[in-house]
Amino acid sequence: MCFLLASFSGFSQTEGVFWKISGKGLPAVSYLFGTIHLMCEDEFHMSQQIRQRLGQAEALVMEIDLDDPDLYGEVMTNMYNKNGEKITDFLSVNEYQKIRTFLLERTGMDLDRMLEMRPMVLMSLIYPNLLECETMAFENELMRLAGEKETPVLGLESVETQLSFFDRIPLEEQYRSFFTYTEDMEKGKQEFGKLQKSYLAEDIAELLTLVAESPEYQNYQEVLVDQRNESWIRPMGDLMQKGSMFFAVGAGHLAGDRGLIRLLKKEGYLVERIYL
């Protein structure tokens, strides 16, 4: 009985990466699209449904405004630990040398020149190694399509705000997670493969589980997913009052009791799946 109730509950959506938002006196319909940041090129597909809705929207709204001319400067300003902490403050000499060798071999970058770089920035350097293929990113394609229509691009949070959520996690734990990840890249590849498979199946409940278990999010779903979701609801509502918005955020933010779908419904919006 509980399973049947969950299946029919409007608050318990487990599938679907593309959603229509209406009701609550909105002047126009808006859309919510869950993305995956990297995907093999031969499996990448941008549905005509998505192209059409984006072409009709008054703005593309992403987690961060990737079209902001000040973005590069903001990223560079926030790339390093605020108080000058170094990775060598948290790892043994042997562990550090293992990571340094790993990065040199995989990226050609020398960690000796990046000792104060934030752990999550270092993590982003190895993401392309998780897929043994040519990759594409939905964010890049969405930006390209928006540019063709001269559609404005907006962001739900700044680079500084996004990184501030990571600041709530002790640096030692972040660097430790990074080290653990580099120690077993085969496991990382398998996990990323599962993530890609779940995305293609539009299984957003499984996606949330996989994201929550990943090294950079493990034990910190509350901070890195749930609290960010809640912080986005008000600006999303304000933007939708201005016209049709096309929101594009990581698909891991959609499902769950504190996912965007449920939070929007709790606010009184009608949220309906669009089948791709």
Side-chain angles (χ1 to χ4, degrees), residues 187-247:
K187 180 181 178 182
K189 289 177 181 179
Q190 292 174 10
E191 291 173 347
F192 206 85
K194 291 179 184 177
L195 193 73
Q196 186 170 244
K197 184 178 179 180
S198 296
Y199 183 81
L200 291 170
E202 297 191 52
D203 188 343
I204 56 176
E206 177 67 11
L207 269 169
L208 176 60
T209 298
L210 292 171
V211 168
E213 293 174 350
S214 63
E216 66 269 49
Y217 288 86
Q218 194 173 39
N219 302 322
Y220 289 98
Q221 178 183 333
E222 162 77 19
V223 173
L224 300 179
V225 180
D226 297 341
Q227 290 183 15
R228 290 176 67 206
N229 291 345
E230 290 164 355
S231 73
W232 290 345
I233 293 300
R234 182 169 181 178
M236 288 176 72
D238 292 342
L239 287 168
M240 289 190 289
Q241 287 296 331
K242 300 176 182 179
S244 180
M245 298 290 144
F246 189 103
F247 298 101

Side-chain angles (χ1 to χ4, degrees), residues 64-74 143 153-155 158-159:
I64 292 173
D65 179 1
L66 297 178
D67 199 36
D68 184 351
D70 297 325
L71 179 63
Y72 179 77
E74 191 173 355
M143 289 283 292
V153 179
L154 306 173
S158 66
V159 171

Side-chain angles (χ1 to χ4, degrees), residues 21-276:
I21 308 169
S22 60
K24 202 177 179 182
L26 292 179
V29 172
S30 288
Y31 301 93
L32 174 62
F33 176 46
T35 68
I36 185 170
H37 299 311
L38 281 180
M39 179 172 284
C40 287
E41 186 175 14
D42 60 354
E43 294 187 295
F44 182 90
H45 175 66
M46 185 71 77
S47 165
Q48 187 59 36
Q49 291 266 39
I50 295 169
R51 295 173 184 271
Q52 179 182 350
R53 267 51 174 217
L54 176 57
Q56 297 169 348
E58 294 185 32
L60 167 62
V61 187
M62 311 178 84
E63 295 181 23
I64 292 173
D65 179 1
L66 297 178
D67 199 36
D68 184 351
D70 297 325
L71 179 63
Y72 179 77
E74 191 173 355
V75 169
M76 293 302 295
T77 300
N78 290 280
M79 189 176 290
Y80 299 94
N81 295 319
K82 290 183 177 180
N83 299 316
E85 299 95 336
K86 300 177 181 179
I87 185 172
T88 49
D89 295 333
F90 304 98
L91 299 180
S92 69
V93 172
N94 183 53
E95 289 169 336
Y96 172 75
Q97 288 302 328
K98 284 185 176 182
I99 288 185
R100 180 171 179 263
T101 299
F102 176 90
L103 281 177
L104 277 171
E105 292 176 349
R106 298 299 182 106
T107 70
M109 298 181 182
D110 190 346
L111 192 54
D112 280 352
R113 301 179 180 179
M114 303 182 290
L115 295 178
E116 297 177 15
M117 189 170 283
R118 289 174 182 261
M120 60 89 62
V121 178
L122 292 174
M123 181 73 78
S124 70
L125 298 177
I126 65 172
Y127 282 147
N129 288 275
L130 298 176
L131 291 173
E132 297 175 338
C133 58
E134 293 297 318
T135 61
M136 291 187 69
F138 277 103
E139 288 79 7
N140 292 343
E141 185 65 9
L142 291 169
M143 289 283 292
R144 186 186 69 78
L145 293 172
E148 288 180 354
K149 295 281 188 178
E150 297 185 351
T151 303
V153 179
L154 306 173
L156 291 170
E157 60 191 13
S158 66
V159 171
E160 185 175 6
T161 298
Q162 187 174 94
L163 291 176
S164 71
F165 285 95
F166 283 89
D167 287 341
R168 302 179 194 183
I169 304 173
L171 275 175
E172 183 173 3
E173 292 189 31
Q174 293 188 57
Y175 281 122
R176 181 61 53 190
S177 293
F178 178 55
F179 173 73
T180 301
Y181 208 76
T182 59
E183 280 284 271
D184 193 353
M185 279 295 290
E186 285 305 313
K187 180 181 178 182
K189 289 177 181 179
Q190 292 174 10
E191 291 173 347
F192 206 85
K194 291 179 184 177
L195 193 73
Q196 186 170 244
K197 184 178 179 180
S198 296
Y199 183 81
L200 291 170
E202 297 191 52
D203 188 343
I204 56 176
E206 177 67 11
L207 269 169
L208 176 60
T209 298
L210 292 171
V211 168
E213 293 174 350
S214 63
E216 66 269 49
Y217 288 86
Q218 194 173 39
N219 302 322
Y220 289 98
Q221 178 183 333
E222 162 77 19
V223 173
L224 300 179
V225 180
D226 297 341
Q227 290 183 15
R228 290 176 67 206
N229 291 345
E230 290 164 355
S231 73
W232 290 345
I233 293 300
R234 182 169 181 178
M236 288 176 72
D238 292 342
L239 287 168
M240 289 190 289
Q241 287 296 331
K242 300 176 182 179
S244 180
M245 298 290 144
F246 189 103
F247 298 101
V249 301
H253 291 280
L254 301 187
D257 289 343
R258 295 168 72 181
L260 291 177
I261 295 170
R262 178 162 185 171
L263 292 176
L264 287 166
K265 287 182 176 181
K266 287 179 69 176
E267 287 293 309
Y269 298 104
L270 178 61
V271 187
E272 303 168 278
R273 180 182 179 184
I274 297 177
Y275 288 82
L276 299 178

